[in-house]
Amino acid sequence: MSFNIVLIEPEIPNNTGNIGRLALATGSHLHLVKPFGFELSDKRLKRAGLDYWQHLPLTIYEDAEAFFRIHTDKTMAFFSSHASQDYWSIAYEEDLFLVFGKESVGLSTEITENNPGKSYKIPMFSPYIRSLNLANAVAITVYEGLRRLG
């Protein structure tokens, strides 16, 4: 059983490295959508992913348009702190695409507005928090999916 983890314009190499490690550990496929806020050769990316990076199922796209054009027929769940549905209402299924935005601003409003019924949030219970760390958010949603499908 596996998911597709999609990072649109990731900015922080350590997060991407940790998410790559998580993808490999969970049998998921990592999709990275340019532009990146780092180089794939960044040692912080490699350090976070340790020596597992070479075994990771990975696909890289030049931009979001290319990603969506290729995967237009796929089932996707989009994550935004502005969504109205909680992540536990996702209908998890094999090969689901879990789509996350960049660390600084999340997904573009164009993406979230075009997918209102497919947008989800991880609830936060403090008014002092704007968002969770991207690697943590991915881990929460992937392991919830594995729990449900397992």
Side-chain angles (χ1 to χ4, degrees):
M1 122 180 43
S2 67
F3 296 111
N4 291 280
I5 300 168
V6 182
L7 305 181
I8 296 183
E9 301 179 10
E11 299 169 312
I12 301 174
N14 303 55
N15 281 339
T16 301
N18 282 315
I19 293 166
R21 190 174 183 177
L22 172 82
L24 186 58
T26 60
S28 298
H29 187 115
L30 182 60
H31 301 261
L32 299 179
V33 180
K34 291 180 180 180
F36 307 145
F38 53 86
E39 296 293 325
L40 286 179
S41 61
D42 191 303
K43 66 181 176 182
R44 291 171 296 177
L45 174 78
K46 303 292 184 182
R47 185 178 304 129
L50 296 174
D51 55 351
Y52 308 124
W53 197 255
Q54 67 196 27
H55 304 290
L56 174 67
L58 173 67
T59 305
I60 298 171
Y61 306 85
E62 289 303 312
D63 54 38
E65 182 181 320
F67 169 78
F68 287 113
R69 185 176 57 251
I70 291 168
H71 299 291
T72 187
D73 61 333
K74 303 297 184 187
T75 303
M76 297 191 186
F78 300 87
F79 294 89
S80 169
S81 60
H82 305 294
S84 58
Q85 302 179 89
D86 292 324
Y87 77 97
W88 49 69
S89 65
I90 295 170
Y92 284 97
E93 61 185 55
E94 183 79 22
D95 207 36
L96 178 66
F97 281 70
L98 305 169
V99 184
F100 298 85
K102 61 175 127 182
E103 290 91 342
S104 63
V105 295
L107 290 171
S108 71
T109 53
E110 178 184 357
I111 291 173
T112 56
E113 287 176 359
N114 288 336
N115 298 283
K118 301 176 193 174
S119 295
Y120 303 91
K121 66 180 177 180
I122 298 170
M124 293 177 286
F125 302 100
S126 171
Y128 305 109
I129 300 292
R130 288 188 312 276
S131 64
L132 294 173
N133 171 275
L134 181 60
N136 291 338
V138 173
I140 288 166
T141 58
V142 168
Y143 275 99
E144 173 65 9
L146 291 175
R147 183 188 71 78
R148 296 247 206 104
L149 295 179

